[in-house]
Structure formats: structure tokens, C-alpha cells
Amino acid sequence: MGDGGMSFIGKFAAALALIALFIAGGFWAVGHYVSNKFASPDPVTIASGSVAGLREQNRLSAFQASFVAVTTSTVSQFGLSTKKTMITPGTVRYEVDLAKLTPHDVTWDAKTQTLGVTLPRIEVSAPQIDLNQIKEYGDGGLLSTLTDADAKIDAANRTAGQQQLVAQANGAMPMGLARDATRRAIERSFALPLRAAGLDAKVKVRFADEAKDNDSVWDASPSIDEVMRLKPSR
């Protein structure tokens, strides 16, 4: 075969090689796209989106409770005295300021597939009092008629009643119930999008003023913002 034939075969072989490289490159590109498009959902990315969504809610109130304060005050003047008892019902809300929640407060333990969330402490609202529900019982008498004893007693009872309602609201039992209700609400907020993405991840929630248990999810696990920073870009 002459030099022209050899030259043609060489050019044809080179063309085939280029076509093969092009096809291989096309398969690599398609494979890369498919792997990116259909890769397993990333729990850290999903959790980061959940944090952003919760922060937009600003405040979460997952629990409220009603209490009753019973206070009695006495005023004595001029050798006379008068006494009055006030029954004051009030309702308080237990809230968490979700605007304070950051990706640094959420950790991811890849080994146990556990998301750990540390919430700001629960805040108790001022008691909401329905003035129409307040009841008063007193002995009245001459001192109430001649002086401002009633006004003084009412003011003292209102102040004492407010303080008593706040003390009851901060008791161990209602605070425990409020933490449990808030914990469940936040666990659902993180777990639902994870499950919707087909991820069988656990969610554990604690409050910043609660003692940590021995679970490594709180101390040994990186926060999701640290994981996001370390993730290679695609």
C-alpha cells in the first residue's frame, strides 16, 4: 500500500480515536450529571434549609398553661383593719426565640445518622390576665368607707398575684411539659423533610440551659456549618 493509503488509514484511525474520546467524554458528562441529579439526598443540606425555615418563624410557642393566684392583703389604720382576698387566673405562653438558632447549633453524627439540635432556652411570657375573671372577697368595714384602704389592698393583691403566677409558671412541672412540647415540635420540623427525602435519620433536641448527656452528638459531632464549609464543591 502506498504512502497515500497509509496516510488515509492513519487519518481515519486518528478520527476514530477522537470520536471514541468524544463519546467517552459524553458518557462521563452524562454520568456526572446523573450522579449529581440522583445522588442520595444530603442530610446536612436539608438540615441547613430547616434551620433557615425555622429562623423565619421568629418565635415558636408550642405550649401554654393557665394558673390561678390566690392572694390576701390587709390594711390597718386608726386601730381599724380591713382585709380582701383576690383570685386571679392567668395564662402564660412558653416560647423559643428561633431567630437565635444558627447552623452552629445543629450537629450531624454521620456514624449514627443523628442530627443534634441545641435550642435557645425557653422564655415564659408575662401572664395574660382576664380582668373579668378576677374575683374578690373582703370584709369591707368602716376603714374601707373612710379611707383609700381598698385601693391599697387591690394594688397589693395585683402585685402579689402577678408574682405568684410567674412563680407557678416557672415551676418544674410546667417547664418540663413546655420543654417536651417544644422538643417534639422541633424534632418534627427537622425529621419530616429528612423522611420526605428518604433518609432514616434520628433527631435529638436539647435546650441550651439543659445539662448535656453523654451522647457524642453534642460534643464530638461537627456542626452543620462546619460540614458545609468542608464539603467539596461540585
Side-chain angles (χ1 to χ4, degrees):
M1 186 176 293
D3 292 341
M6 292 296 295
S7 176
F8 173 77
I9 292 174
K11 290 179 179 178
F12 183 74
L16 285 177
L18 287 174
I19 292 171
L21 285 173
F22 179 80
I23 293 173
F27 276 120
W28 178 88
V30 171
H32 184 67
Y33 172 80
V34 170
S35 66
N36 282 345
K37 191 72 175 175
F38 300 103
S40 297
D42 181 7
V44 173
T45 302
I46 295 172
S48 181
S50 296
V51 171
L54 287 171
R55 282 173 56 84
E56 289 180 1
Q57 293 184 30
N58 196 16
R59 299 186 76 83
L60 169 67
S61 178
F63 186 74
Q64 70 174 29
S66 297
F67 303 94
V68 176
V70 180
T71 56
T72 301
S73 296
T74 302
V75 169
S76 297
Q77 286 181 275
F78 315 122
L80 302 172
S81 66
T82 185
K83 180 171 65 175
K84 188 183 287 187
T85 296
M86 181 179 287
I87 300 175
T88 308
T91 301
V92 300
R93 297 186 312 279
Y94 296 81
E95 301 178 338
V96 171
D97 187 356
L98 293 176
K100 296 178 180 178
L101 182 67
T102 71
H104 186 70
D105 298 315
V106 182
T107 61
W108 173 246
D109 186 342
K111 181 184 293 185
T112 63
Q113 296 285 288
T114 302
L115 202 69
V117 184
T118 300
L119 292 175
R121 67 178 183 83
I122 284 184
E123 300 173 15
V124 183
S125 71
Q128 300 297 308
I129 298 171
D130 184 352
L131 298 179
N132 294 323
Q133 297 298 317
I134 294 177
K135 293 182 172 56
E136 293 181 303
Y137 303 92
D139 52 17
L142 188 61
L143 191 61
S144 294
T145 304
L146 299 176
T147 69
D148 61 350
D150 273 357
K152 291 179 179 178
I153 287 176
D154 287 346
N157 275 335
R158 281 195 296 269
T159 299
Q162 188 87 357
Q163 292 171 345
Q164 195 177 115
L165 289 172
V166 170
Q168 291 179 37
N170 283 277
M173 180 176 292
M175 284 297 292
L177 294 172
R179 284 195 178 101
D180 288 343
T182 304
R183 208 186 318 270
R184 287 193 297 270
I186 295 297
E187 284 174 352
R188 284 195 300 269
S189 296
F190 280 94
L192 286 176
L194 290 170
R195 289 171 187 163
L199 293 167
D200 186 22
K202 298 185 290 291
V203 181
K204 293 191 63 175
V205 176
R206 62 176 291 273
F207 293 88
D209 57 348
E210 282 184 319
K212 295 179 182 179
D213 56 26
N214 295 324
D215 198 321
S216 63
V217 70
W218 307 122
D219 294 317
S221 303
S223 62
I224 60 172
D225 59 344
E226 293 171 330
V227 176
M228 293 290 281
R229 285 199 301 268
L230 294 174
K231 283 178 59 178
S233 58
R234 292 181 175 178

